[in-house]
Amino acid sequence: MKLMLVGYGNVGKAFRKLLHEKKVKELENVKIAGIVTTRGLMLKDQEAFVPDKKINALEALDEVQPDVVVDMASANYKTGEPSLSLYLTALKRGIHVITTNKAPLALKYKEIINTAISHGSKIFFQATVMSGTPSINLYRILPAMKVRKIRGILNGTTNYILTRMSQGLSFNEALKEAQELGYAERDPTLDINGFDAAGKITILSNVYFSRGISINEVKFEGIGNIEIGDALKRGNKIKLIAYADENETYVKPMEITKEDFLYNVDGVNNALEIESDIQKITIVGPGAGPLNAAYGAFSDLILLLRGEN
Ligand code: 80F
């Protein structure tokens, strides 16, 4: 089975490492046949990126003819391109797609899923929400549960910044740390202004409630000019909360009291609370980090090879 990796930054490199280091039976016949970045296509599987051809991701698809595309390129929330066209072309050809890149799914979820279904191909996207902590793939193992609402903390960078600010750092110092740790988007304003979290809750709304919505319909606020001092004095914390139910989806900073389980979700950790007709489920784990995001895609690859849908 041939993989084509798109994007070879923090996450792409961690994914390649996992593929080489984890000895998993399902992966015996899997190989990287090409890696494409903004600099071109490399046809070798080697750590140092040296392009063989100066071509783009769509052209690389013809050149490599992969069985699976693994998209770990930067998010383009304006158009979703070039990833959006790449998915649609690949899925129509029966090539499966695994992605850590939220933008195409946050913008054109219905079109992408319908294309996959009508062509018998698959798209897996666990890493787009909470990285390697199951959120999308968690839904796979909750059959027939009627979910009423979901809420959580879905952006690692902003939760890290808010936590470090409560420990005395300035906003800019905390952001710099988050960037050094590989949590932030290439353009960190996407994290700070709430856009990244909005993209994630859009995807969750589509998975958990079949809303068929786009990020452009979601109200969101970020933590750009956030003041946390008064909340801290009251013994509370400010968290960037994402919420969705059958009718509503939003992201906004909120004051959280000690009684709320989200109060203790600090640093790069993310959390999701799922309320259903059967029970309430909470899940907490890292929401960002190169290895964590790469593991989301890596776990998707194994599920795909096991024949999951
Ligand atoms: P990085 O900027 O290191 O690498 C991007 C790569 O994409 C580069 O190799 C670049 O050349 C390539 N690229 C850009 N445009 C391209 C194009 N048009 N064609 C081909 N290649 C292109 O980015 P990361 O950190 O490696 O992230 C990669 C993707 O994973 C992005 O879409 C992220 O949104 C996504 N992702 C990253 C996460 C992380 O922790 C987490 C999960 C998904 O919660 C948070 O705080 C979030 N900021 C993290 S979510 N790094």
Side-chain angles (χ1 to χ4, degrees):
M1 170 176 276
K2 291 199 290 183
L3 306 187
M4 181 173 97
L5 312 192
V6 185
Y8 192 57
N10 292 318
V11 178
K13 287 182 181 131
F15 179 86
R16 182 180 175 276
K17 209 158 177 271
L18 274 175
L19 206 59
H20 283 276
E21 288 177 1
K22 286 257 173 226
K23 301 291 169 222
V24 183
K25 136 173 125 331
E26 285 91 340
L27 298 176
E28 269 164 14
N29 296 315
V30 172
K31 62 168 191 158
I32 295 172
I35 303 181
V36 57
T37 76
T38 44
R39 293 168 54 208
L41 168 67
M42 175 171 78
L43 287 159
K44 297 175 282 295
D45 176 17
Q46 66 177 31
E47 193 176 349
F49 184 81
V50 184
D52 294 303
K53 298 192 168 191
K54 296 247 177 282
I55 58 175
N56 66 32
L58 261 174
E59 292 161 336
L61 194 67
D62 289 331
E63 180 78 26
V64 177
Q65 307 255 344
D67 302 293
V68 182
V69 168
V70 187
D71 180 18
M72 296 169 288
S74 330
N76 165 5
Y77 279 108
K78 286 203 179 79
T79 61
E81 298 294 355
S83 296
L84 177 59
S85 298
L86 182 70
Y87 300 179
L88 297 175
T89 309
L91 293 168
K92 282 177 192 162
R93 292 184 193 170
I95 299 168
H96 306 306
V97 174
I98 293 171
T99 182
T100 70
N101 175 2
K102 285 138 269 182
L105 285 161
L107 289 163
K108 299 277 179 187
Y109 184 87
K110 260 197 298 196
E111 188 179 352
I112 295 169
I113 299 297
N114 288 342
T115 303
I117 292 169
S118 58
H119 291 83
S121 35
K122 297 177 188 177
I123 175 150
F124 279 57
F125 47 98
Q126 165 49 47
T128 60
V129 185
M130 293 175 76
S131 292
T133 305
S135 56
I136 306 291
N137 286 346
L138 177 64
Y139 189 69
R140 294 178 191 282
I141 53 168
L142 303 176
M145 196 178 266
K146 175 82 185 129
V147 178
R148 304 218 191 278
K149 57 184 175 187
I150 56 178
R151 95 192 237 280
I153 296 171
L154 299 181
N155 180 266
T157 301
T158 47
N159 205 42
Y160 184 84
I161 291 173
L162 291 168
T163 303
R164 296 295 279 142
M165 283 173 74
S166 72
Q167 294 163 349
L169 260 67
S170 72
F171 182 92
N172 285 331
E173 286 165 342
L175 170 60
K176 190 163 174 283
E177 281 190 1
Q179 287 179 301
E180 283 164 5
L181 290 162
Y183 301 155
E185 296 298 306
R186 182 149 285 202
D187 171 5
T189 52
L190 292 174
D191 296 297
I192 292 156
N193 68 11
F195 213 79
D196 178 85
K200 290 166 174 168
I201 196 72
T202 302
I203 296 172
L204 286 181
S205 298
N206 289 330
V207 170
Y208 278 77
F209 302 111
S210 303
R211 293 275 311 276
I213 55 167
S214 143
I215 188 170
N216 300 322
E217 297 162 60
V218 172
K219 281 181 276 171
F220 66 91
E221 286 171 46
I223 63 158
N225 296 308
I226 203 83
E227 234 316 314
I228 63 166
D230 289 347
L232 286 180
K233 275 187 215 142
R234 287 189 282 270
N236 299 334
K237 290 179 184 170
I238 301 287
K239 298 281 182 194
L240 187 63
I241 303 299
Y243 174 90
D245 59 28
E246 280 182 344
N247 306 304
E248 202 186 4
T249 304
Y250 63 74
V251 173
K252 64 178 176 194
M254 293 172 87
E255 189 163 333
I256 299 294
T257 62
K258 279 200 175 85
E259 294 70 42
D260 193 322
F261 98 102
L262 295 177
Y263 182 91
N264 289 315
V265 178
D266 281 331
V268 73
N269 274 348
N270 280 188
L272 184 65
E273 181 179 68
I274 301 161
E275 266 187 59
S276 77
D277 59 341
I278 312 280
Q279 60 201 3
K280 193 190 266 189
I281 297 170
T282 57
I283 185 153
V284 181
L291 177 64
N292 313 85
Y295 177 73
F298 183 77
S299 60
D300 277 347
L301 177 61
I302 295 171
L303 294 179
L304 180 71
L305 290 163
R306 285 183 187 165
E308 295 262 342
N309 281 304

